Amino acid sequence: WQKIFMFPLWSKMAVFWNKMFLTIIVLLIVLFLDAVREVRKYSSVHVNEKAANVNSSAFDHIQMKLFRSQRNLYLSGFSLFLWLVLRRTVTLLTQLAKEMASHAALETQVNDATEAAKKYMAENERLQEALSGKGDSKKKMLTDATEEKLKEEVEHLKAELQKTSNAFHKAKTEVAAVKKQSEGLRREYDHLMKEYEQLQQSLNKAEDKKDL
């Protein structure tokens, strides 16, 4: 999946898709507001006609208009909400993918730093064993200087290792938080889809009764 989403084509199309997303959002908002206006309009007409006791055909026509406007209101409202949920889901998945990639890179860096520290420590031990039996002062001073340099390098590597480890744990915590947020959003999305299906079934039943 990372290889697929890393294609250069997606980055070129990103600007176009963002504009299209905003266009669809504006369109859904317009449809939602228009549906609200139609519902209010036919609701008031429905009450007035019912109170006036007009003929049944005109009353049924107004009732049909009211039902269609309510249906459009539900469809546009749920479409707008689900479109925003989809956008948020894509954003969370993108963040999760980036955090996972950063997690893998930090893990590799930690392993490299650990191997380098082990290598320097092994070299330090070999130098100490090779120069432990020689008492020449010049060689001893050279050995001391080499040991000090190696110690400094080891301390530096330990500090880098600690820093990388802290960053690794931080990235791991962020990945866990994003995963938890994604799971919560997925559960909420499933719940909304169930409610949407129930509402759609009730609308279909109401439309069937109206046709009868």
Side-chain angles (χ1 to χ4, degrees):
W1 287 107
Q2 290 182 359
K3 292 181 180 179
I4 293 175
F5 286 116
M6 290 301 291
F7 284 160
L9 178 63
W10 307 125
S11 60
K12 294 179 181 179
M13 297 176 65
V15 179
F16 169 75
W17 287 114
N18 288 330
K19 292 181 179 179
M20 188 185 73
F21 171 77
L22 294 176
T23 302
I24 293 176
I25 287 293
V26 173
L27 179 62
L28 289 174
I29 291 174
V30 171
L31 291 176
F32 179 76
L33 295 177
D34 182 70
V36 171
R37 183 184 64 83
E38 292 292 325
V39 168
R40 295 180 62 183
K41 173 183 175 182
Y42 288 110
S43 295
S44 60
V45 174
H46 179 268
V47 173
N48 294 332
E49 294 293 338
K50 186 176 182 181
N53 294 322
V54 297
N55 55 8
S56 59
S57 61
F59 182 76
D60 291 338
H61 180 72
I62 294 172
Q63 195 172 8
M64 180 186 66
K65 291 286 188 180
L66 177 61
F67 171 76
R68 289 181 178 178
S69 61
Q70 289 175 346
R71 181 193 60 187
N72 294 335
L73 175 65
Y74 292 136
L75 290 177
S76 60
F78 273 105
S79 299
L80 177 62
F81 180 75
L82 293 178
W83 188 252
L84 293 173
V85 169
L86 179 63
R87 175 71 172 186
R88 181 59 179 168
T89 304
V90 171
T91 303
L92 289 176
L93 289 176
T94 304
Q95 292 178 357
L96 180 61
K98 291 181 180 179
E99 292 296 335
M100 290 177 67
S102 177
H103 174 81
L106 287 174
E107 187 175 1
T108 303
Q109 189 176 0
V110 168
N111 293 330
D112 293 340
T114 304
E115 293 295 330
K118 290 180 179 179
K119 181 179 178 181
Y120 280 114
M121 291 177 69
E123 290 180 356
N124 188 17
E125 291 178 357
R126 286 199 298 268
L127 286 173
Q128 288 180 356
E129 291 176 357
L131 299 175
S132 60
K134 298 181 180 180
D136 185 52
S137 60
K138 185 176 181 179
K139 290 182 179 181
K140 187 176 181 180
M141 292 176 61
L142 181 61
T143 303
D144 293 339
T146 305
E147 288 180 356
E148 290 295 329
K149 184 177 180 181
L150 288 173
K151 286 180 180 179
E152 291 177 358
E153 291 179 355
V154 169
E155 292 296 329
H156 177 71
L157 286 173
K158 286 182 178 179
E160 289 293 331
L161 179 61
Q162 184 64 32
K163 183 178 179 181
T164 307
S165 179
N166 293 334
F168 172 74
H169 289 301
K170 182 179 179 182
K172 188 176 181 180
T173 304
E174 291 178 355
V175 168
V178 172
K179 284 184 177 179
K180 185 176 180 181
Q181 190 175 5
S182 299
E183 291 176 357
L185 184 60
R186 180 179 58 82
R187 288 194 296 268
E188 183 180 357
Y189 177 77
D190 294 338
H191 178 68
L192 289 172
M193 285 300 298
K194 290 180 180 178
E195 291 183 354
Y196 177 73
E197 291 176 357
Q198 293 175 358
L199 182 60
Q200 187 67 31
Q201 290 176 359
S202 64
L203 287 175
N204 292 333
K205 290 180 181 178
E207 189 173 4
D208 293 338
K209 291 181 180 178
K210 186 63 64 178
D211 293 337
L212 294 176

